[in-house]
Amino acid sequence: MAVASPTSILLDLLAPLSGVLVPLESVPDPVFAGKLAGDGIAIDPTSSVLLAPVAGKVTQLHRAHHAIAIMSDEGVEVLLHLGLDTVMLKGEGFTAKVALGDRVEAGQPLIAFDPVLVGRKAASLISMMLIANGERVGSMRAATGLVAAGKDPVLHLELRDPATEAPAAGGSVRSRTVTLPNILGLHARPAAVLAAASRQFQSVVHLLRGAAEVNAKSVVAILGFEVKFGDVLQIEATGPDARKASEALADLLAGGCGEAPGAAPAGAPAKPVVPKALVAGELAGVAASPGLALGQVFQYRPKVMEVVEKGADPARERTHLEAALRDAGLQIEAIKARVRAGVDAARVGILSAHQELLLDPGLLESALAGVGAGKSAAFAWRAAFTASAAQLAGLESALLRERANDIRDVGRRVLALLTGSVQTRVEAPPDSILIAEELSPSEAAQLDRTKVLGLCTTTGGPTGHVAILARSLGIPAVCGIDQAALNLLDKTMVVLDGTHGVLKQVSGTAELAQAKESIDRQSADRTRDHEAAQKPAVTADGVAIEVAANIRNAQEAREAVSAGAQGVGLLRSEFLFLDRATAPTEDEQAAEYGAVARILGPGRKLVIRTLDVGGDKPLSYLPLPSEANPFLGLRGVRVSLARPDLFRTQLRAILRAAPLGDLHIMFPMIATLEELRAARLILGQEAQDLGRSAKVGVMIEVPSAALIADALAQETDFFSIGTNDLTQYCMAMDRGHPQLAKQADALHPSVLKLIGLTVDSAHRHGKWVGICGGLASDVLAIPALLGLGVDELSVSVPAIGAVKARIAQLRKGECEGLARELLKLSTASDVRQRLTSFAE
Ligand code: PEP
Ligand code: MG
């Protein structure tokens, strides 16, 4: 029930459940108690149907049906969460009475639940009602005691008017200075993490660099600030929770905003591509998605939307704009739900980034200023998003420039809703090579793959979302192509080379035949890889080699199995620990490890690597001393040994998955026998306590470990060689160093010698050896690795087919002869040359 006062809007939220109200701080879950998900109330329920506390629209309905969000007509997003750890029940015991996007009235049933079943299986039945967009709320008063569902008001809110929002009461607090650790600066992902975290606080929050400052709750403003690696930053917060905000956000910045420093952005191509010399008739661009495509030019130009400049009454225009923003969010949520049903993590990530832009206070503020000046919502919104996009497009960083396309995409989605125009699908004729000035991620996501064989845009680059989507769809793509491409006539025959970033007109039958031959070769290779992927990997002389996958989570486990992985040789468990404010609980971890084990089943090996963070990969909630040489400091297993609480929790969670599959536990960055013994001792205690067991392995990624492999092999079940780190430590060249990384070649003879030594030591003691570093996915290196005696290759999911196909072509005996030759060479380039001639 909302009441307008002269200066503010008052809103009462009704009790969603009957029961006793308890303070949020006393909820036995740090995320809720710490108000990380929002402020509000908790209730110990005596009823079993969750009711809408307010009229509005259902903006979120969790798949497990234990949580739901309602956007009230006043723009307050109310999150309702039934019980604690109920997500684990995966919907068991819950029945949704409404669907995403439904309009609900206050008191309407939302979710019914079985209190006996949920009470028995979940950690607690205590349920929360939280305000997700706290910045809309000026003040909040909670009732106490016993309440009746749908009758008693339990939260009294005084809402802020976003257009006239003034800094909340309370002083300003500046944080300590933080040097940004993110190699790529604050690009879209960490910027979104920072903005979302800032919005959790009621205070007005600014990100400061020297005298310059931007609104830290706005992704667009943060991107426009172009924060680079090494920039010295501060957080300034003004308002009631200023101190907490400034400290927490400074910690978040120092920790890389959920991004492992040195990491490439999601979906970036694995390797830089050597530029190709152009010949006549060729137009150059940037390689964005590999592969060759032969087809006819289809020039695509998006429809221009008609926009009226003058607005009606500003209050109506504003409501119109807010409704369009909400509806755009629902559209994206619906697309996400469809995409999630498939296996496309890249697309879900992009759509989430777009949802984040819809919440951007900077964009909203600027559009509302236009509305206030008498413009229509559509006109003001278009002016706001085009100005933001133009600002980003002018920045120095390619990564940030490419986000301009995302703003235009989201902007057009909202504009279409405001103008009532239908956003048309790209209707391409068969065998098209689509050429456009730019293509929005939404347009790219809806392309008909049976008709569009290749994509070519004059804007964007390989880290843009269109490029990421093209790679996930397997469509060759070139970005930033020469403008002349826009002048090619429709139906012109062209070849698009997404591997080298070239578009070439095909003239004459000889050229056409040559192009067809190359495409046929490519598809023959793909068919061969595809067929090989589904069979066990065996050399031509009958030696079985296990080809496993490197994955991060259950979703990727599914992808790995369907791509033909014979197991998982490396589950990088640290990904469960990133992008969050606290460490995952034992139950959360156990759920994910269990899900992976179930997907693989008992017939496929699962190697879970314990937490590999610290040093260069910090976690915001894991304060470690700052170090002069983080790669040589507290990293990998050293962190686990320094924090046995975290280590024991993780080991217990992993061990709980043991009955579900063929479980192996592996310790990262072991450098000494003492470290292995200390880690095993803790593991042994936890295993005994739980009555579970698992095989134990060591990652060989420090030269000392390779050199004492003989001793390590006697106290372990297997080795997996991390060639990424082994190379950097062997050659003293930082794997992420802009100049040195290229020379840090895992095919350097010194690294091959360490691999050989490790394999010989392991085999002497009857133990197997895998390679899980990037070298295992390099088809050129495979004869060398087989020759050195490696038993397993754990590779990136897309490489599985090609690696298996290459193994099938090789004879183990010949590879052994080759390896002996390679060990006598002195440089990486000599090794590469010899491997290239061996492959011919
Ligand atoms: C490696 O170092 O080769 C490895 C597989 O570990 P990560 O790349 O995760 O450090
Ligand atoms: Mg490593």
Side-chain angles (χ1 to χ4, degrees), residues 572 609 612 617 635 669 699 701 722 724-725 735:
R572 286 182 159 106
R609 172 172 82 183
D612 187 17
K617 296 190 220 170
R635 191 175 178 241
M669 251 204 87
M699 275 198 85
E701 41 188 357
N724 310 335
D725 277 319
R735 64 197 257 189

